[in-house]
Amino acid sequence: MISYKNTHLQELENEAIYVIREAAAQFERPTMLFSGGKDSIVMYHLARKAFYPAKVPFPLLHIDTGHNFQETLEFRDYLMKKTGGTCIVRYVQDTINQGKVQEETGYNASRNVLQTVTLLDAIEEFKFDCAMGGGRRDEEKARAKERFFSHRDEFGQWDPKNQRPELWNIFNGRKKMGEHFRVFPLSNWTELDVWLYILLEKIEIPSIYFSHEREVFNRDGVWLATAPFMKLKPTEHPVIKRVRCRTIGDITCTGLVLSEASSVEDIVAEIAQTRITERGGRYDDKRSDTAMEDRKREGYF
């Protein structure tokens, strides 16, 4: 196995652990957002390293849309049982039942946007003043604007023009009552960095990241998984393909890629050669040119 000591991965690991420790030190009630995807798994792995041999001193928070891949949910529960971690789960369905959001209808209906309200409600319920997320600057242009410590106002909204300077990795976590921060320990990582780290650290990940046969259909050039709540157009027909996930979210917007990668080594080789961005297959990002930034301004991850 190739060692990553004295390489850029060691520097990224040290930086991320420093950011996580800073968040734990500066805030009274931090949490770590957890989706069951590779980035949140790596972030949780780093948090466990940061406080070892003690347990992670804050809970994880998962916003369940009700339209998640079953493999992701099973892996979440398995990982919490294995590590003794605490994961709070809040459901978009409850937010719908309370009349706070309205279920979308039509062929492109998704709960991805609705989870923002559920997230903000959970932050208010538990009085979290910091929510760590696995967002990376290389993912999407809106995320590239984020600082490590990203301020949110009392409404949970983000103003990209009101970002605090972070010279010499000095982070300013001061806030007013009702405000909170999003913190992004993996900001400087790339998709390839994440996979190399998973490989070298031998981190377990959900099986959905590896090539497998699944019933899918093609919509506007994106392969989407079939599900009872997915409404197909008359011109769309389900087929069986060998696919895998590059990024995991709500089934309604998570694009699958045709792939034969059956191991982490295969994925590393595949990512190293691809010219398509990681979120190039995310159907929700195709709603508009500023889809991600619009959601982040409203309180999205």
Side-chain angles (χ1 to χ4, degrees), residues 98-110:
Q98 293 163 8
K100 294 182 177 180
V101 294
Q102 185 173 355
E103 184 93 72
E104 293 184 355
T105 59
Y107 293 115
N108 296 314
S110 174

Side-chain angles (χ1 to χ4, degrees), residues 104-152:
E104 293 184 355
T105 59
Y107 293 115
N108 296 314
S110 174
R111 290 184 173 182
N112 200 45
V113 176
L114 306 186
Q115 64 184 314
T116 296
V117 177
T118 311
L119 171 61
L120 294 177
D121 282 351
I123 289 174
E124 174 62 26
E125 177 185 356
F126 294 98
K127 305 302 179 186
F128 291 131
D129 54 359
C130 164
M132 286 171 266
R136 309 186 323 268
R137 291 178 179 139
D138 78 316
E139 286 183 273
E140 202 272 342
K141 58 188 177 183
R143 285 185 169 168
K145 299 178 182 179
E146 291 276 21
R147 298 287 197 266
F148 280 104
F149 276 37
S150 183
H151 174 264
R152 297 299 197 271

